[in-house]
């Protein structure tokens, strides 16, 4: 069918000409979509504000040869303004959509779409610390993409855990026999926090100490960037303003 509807998250936008915009979208049923929204930069545009980064919308698109064309858009989740008003939320959201963009070169799943929507909603509402929302998202989206880190048993020899070391290159926690020289030592509280972030146990996440939160964030960032093969630029901004 030349025309189709789907729910989408706007990952990023680029100006095109004087009034148009190219959108990169993560959709619920059609994976990652690149589309052009014509005239959205004009003040008279009917749906320009609905197609900004971090917004969730129901859109109708026309299949084009190179880019699809947005014909209609109605708002489902207007998260952009609340996220942009807080620097920590804004940088966390940027890191999330950057990771989503990298991970979904192939067709994405509905679970990946829903995970991103849930993360952006939590950021907009300020339900939890922005960095914790980002960390939980990164762990879960990596798992959905087939790169679930070992957080209990040894990633190399499968020895029962919990383990005391974490090595991103080896796939997560490792035992003392498998840990290479220079491996990061894993404090028990940090180990428990990593598992809570993966499981979405927010009572435990919110109660974690600053030290455990910072340690877990560093390990998650290293793990995600190792598998994505290049850095998530927005993570460096979060580190500078922690």
């Amino acid at each position: 069918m030349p025309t189709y509807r789907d729910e989408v998250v706007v990952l990023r936008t680029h100006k095109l000409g004087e009034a148009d915009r190219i959108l990169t979208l993560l959709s619920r049923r059609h994976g990652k979509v690149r589309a052009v929204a014509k005239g959205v930069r004009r003040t008279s545009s009917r749906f320009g504000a609905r197609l900004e980064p971090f917004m969730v919308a129901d859109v109708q698109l026309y299949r084009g040869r190179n880019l699809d064309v947005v014909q209609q858009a109605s708002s489902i989740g207007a998260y952009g303004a609340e996220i942009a008003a807080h620097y920590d939320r804004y940088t966390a959201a940027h890191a999330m959509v950057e990771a989503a963009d990298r991970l979904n070169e192939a067709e994405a799943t509905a679970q990946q779409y829903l995970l991103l929507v849930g993360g952006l909603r939590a950021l907009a509402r300020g339900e939890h610390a922005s960095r914790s929302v980002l960390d939980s998202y990164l762990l879960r989206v990596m798992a959905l993409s087939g790169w679930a880190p070992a957080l209990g048993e040894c990633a190399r020899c499968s020895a029962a855990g919990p383990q005391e070391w974490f090595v991103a290159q080896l796939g997560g926690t490792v035992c003392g026999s498998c840990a290479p020289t220079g491996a990061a030592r894993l404090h028990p509280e940090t180990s428990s926090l990593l598992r809570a972030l993966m499981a979405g146990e927010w009572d435990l996440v919110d109660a974690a100490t600053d030290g455990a939160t910072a340690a877990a964030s560093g390990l998650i960032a290293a793990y995600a960037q190792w598998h994505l093969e290049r850095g998530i630029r927005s993570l460096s901004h979060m580190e500078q303003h922690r």
Side-chain angles (χ1 to χ4, degrees):
M1 296 292 291
T3 300
Y4 65 99
R5 297 193 72 89
D6 207 345
E7 297 175 14
V8 302
V9 178
V10 181
L11 301 181
R12 54 191 172 93
T13 68
H14 298 286
K15 294 179 180 179
L16 178 65
E18 295 184 357
D20 303 340
R21 203 174 260 140
I22 294 175
L23 312 174
T24 302
L25 311 169
L26 178 60
S27 72
R28 184 167 188 161
R29 295 183 295 275
H30 295 84
K32 194 162 72 171
V33 176
R34 296 188 76 241
V36 60
K38 296 184 176 180
V40 294
R41 288 162 53 208
R42 297 193 183 103
T43 56
S44 59
S45 172
R46 293 173 299 160
F47 51 77
R50 303 168 195 168
L51 297 173
E52 296 290 338
F54 319 137
M55 302 294 275
V56 184
D58 182 292
V59 297
Q60 178 174 300
L61 301 108
Y62 178 84
R63 291 196 185 279
R65 180 174 298 179
N66 297 313
L67 293 171
D68 294 352
V69 179
V70 178
Q71 296 179 314
Q72 297 177 9
S74 58
S75 178
I76 296 176
Y79 304 134
E82 283 298 323
I83 288 173
H86 304 269
Y87 184 81
D88 58 330
R89 300 181 192 180
Y90 182 74
T91 52
H94 259 292
M96 288 164 62
V97 298
E98 189 178 347
D101 193 9
R102 299 268 186 87
L103 286 165
N104 294 298
E105 293 297 335
E107 186 171 351
T109 65
Q111 289 87 348
Q112 289 170 323
Y113 165 82
L114 292 171
L115 182 65
L116 181 58
V117 171
L120 294 175
R121 183 189 302 118
L123 285 176
R125 295 176 178 175
E127 295 176 351
H128 309 284
S130 298
R131 186 58 193 252
S132 294
V133 174
L134 169 61
D135 289 340
S136 181
Y137 171 78
L138 289 174
L139 282 175
R140 293 186 190 183
V141 79
M142 297 294 286
L144 287 174
S145 300
W147 295 319
L151 297 178
E153 76 284 357
C154 177
R156 193 169 189 181
C157 71
S158 300
Q163 304 298 345
E164 296 184 1
W165 308 90
F166 189 98
V167 183
Q169 299 91 323
L170 295 180
T173 57
V174 293
C175 65
S177 299
C178 295
T181 302
R185 189 73 177 260
L186 196 58
H187 190 277
E189 185 183 2
T190 305
S191 180
S192 297
L193 177 56
L194 288 170
R195 293 192 293 274
L197 287 163
M198 175 68 88
E201 296 172 342
W202 288 103
D203 54 337
L204 299 178
V205 173
D206 293 340
T209 64
D210 291 343
T213 299
S217 293
L219 296 175
I220 292 167
Y223 186 83
Q225 297 191 100
W226 169 263
H227 286 285
L228 291 172
E229 296 181 350
R230 60 185 191 272
I232 299 174
R233 290 174 295 176
S234 302
L235 282 177
S236 62
H237 297 294
M238 295 205 74
E239 294 295 333
Q240 293 168 11
H241 292 84
R242 179 180 293 176

